[in-house]
Amino acid sequence: MIKDASVVEVKRLSSLQWDYILETTQKLADSDENHERTLFIVACLKTLYLRISELSERPVWSPVMGHFWTDKDKNHWFKVFGKGNKQRDVSVPDSFLPYLERYRNYRGLSGFPLSSETDPLINKLKGFGGMTSRQLRRIVQQAFDNAFEQMTNEGFSHEAQTLKEATTHWLRHTGASMDISSRPLKHMADELGHASMGTTDRVYVQSDHLERAKSGKNRTIESN
């Protein structure tokens, strides 16, 4: 039996593309508070490895502020209702807390969320309740478009082109791909909501071909 050891390609952002998305979105939020929501959305998707549906309002689940919680050891978590109607808890890193804090300040909320809070996690600017996946995708796409324009203006037009085909799911892949080498495989599988570590290994560990290609690009034929 022949085992398939071919390269698995995962659609993700480069470090440069992610830096531009984060930087341009944060600058917009600094100048217009209505963009705080956009900043929070992209931070959630990338840092907490979320699918867009896991942030959206659905018939079976409504993400609320109270889904953030703290355990007895003061570790922070976010409760997710994910693919296959499975619930999981995603660890919340310290680096994410300033984004949560500034978003809550914008919403007129203070401190770390209480489990009793029922405010929608992602609020509509008009009306009540949370947002649909389609509405969230539109917001993220605008963040991609802003980063594309900035990268193009600053001479990174070639790498900016990839942003034209990027989707919200690339943010989840980007966060996981960046963290996979520094975290145990079992932890990553649990965070991502994978049924087995084999899925995580196949999708992310074996997808480091971009780094492998980079390290192999400059090898020579002649002896050194």
Side-chain angles (χ1 to χ4, degrees):
M1 181 178 178
I2 299 175
K3 294 184 178 180
D4 184 6
S6 59
V7 167
V8 178
E9 183 178 6
V10 171
K11 296 291 187 180
R12 54 162 289 188
L13 303 166
S14 68
S15 295
L16 181 65
Q17 289 168 333
W18 166 244
D19 287 344
Y20 265 89
I21 289 170
L22 184 62
E23 181 181 334
T24 55
T25 306
Q26 188 159 323
K27 283 182 178 178
L28 284 172
D30 290 341
S31 61
D32 180 353
E33 66 173 10
N34 286 327
H35 288 286
E36 289 290 349
R37 184 178 61 174
T38 306
L39 180 61
F40 182 69
I41 291 169
V42 297
C44 278
L45 293 172
K46 188 267 184 185
T47 312
L48 304 183
Y49 322 132
L50 299 182
R51 302 176 179 90
I52 196 70
S53 61
E54 293 169 346
L55 282 180
S56 69
E57 185 90 9
R58 291 167 285 164
V60 294
W61 186 259
S62 298
V64 298
M65 281 292 179
H67 289 152
F68 282 103
W69 62 280
T70 306
D71 64 24
K72 61 181 178 60
D73 296 314
K74 301 189 184 305
N75 299 305
H76 300 304
W77 302 86
F78 179 60
K79 193 172 298 295
V80 178
F81 191 69
K83 192 175 181 180
N85 294 332
K86 294 180 180 179
Q87 187 172 296
R88 71 183 189 278
D89 291 298
V90 178
S91 63
V92 176
D94 292 343
S95 62
F96 180 79
L97 298 181
Y99 295 92
L100 175 60
E101 181 180 7
R102 64 183 289 169
Y103 178 60
R104 283 175 62 78
N105 287 338
Y106 154 70
R107 295 276 300 273
L109 304 168
S110 61
F112 192 82
L114 301 174
S115 59
S116 58
E117 291 186 32
T118 58
D119 301 88
L121 184 66
I122 310 295
N123 66 312
K124 295 178 180 177
L125 294 184
K126 296 181 180 179
F128 300 96
M131 304 191 76
T132 65
S133 291
R134 179 179 294 182
Q135 291 169 324
L136 291 168
R137 286 192 183 95
R138 191 179 301 123
I139 291 172
V140 174
Q141 184 59 56
Q142 187 58 58
F144 287 170
D145 291 345
N146 293 336
F148 170 83
E149 183 177 352
Q150 189 69 24
M151 290 183 75
T152 302
N153 290 341
E154 295 185 9
F156 296 103
S157 56
H158 178 72
E159 191 151 11
Q161 285 299 320
T162 315
L163 286 176
K164 286 296 185 181
E165 63 182 70
T167 69
T168 58
H169 210 61
W170 285 33
L171 291 169
R172 169 178 159 93
H173 285 325
T174 299
S177 297
M178 288 180 175
D179 295 346
I180 194 73
S181 62
S182 61
R183 303 190 64 190
L185 187 61
K186 176 63 166 63
H187 294 180
M188 290 299 298
D190 290 343
E191 301 274 49
L192 289 157
H194 289 162
S196 71
M197 288 187 290
T199 300
T200 312
D201 177 75
R202 185 174 66 256
V203 174
Y204 294 106
V205 176
Q206 296 182 29
S207 70
D208 65 354
H209 65 284
L210 292 177
E211 300 303 321
R212 181 151 55 94
K214 187 184 298 184
S215 71
K217 186 179 289 290
N218 294 322
R219 62 185 188 270
T220 62
I221 296 176
E222 298 84 3
S223 61
N224 295 324

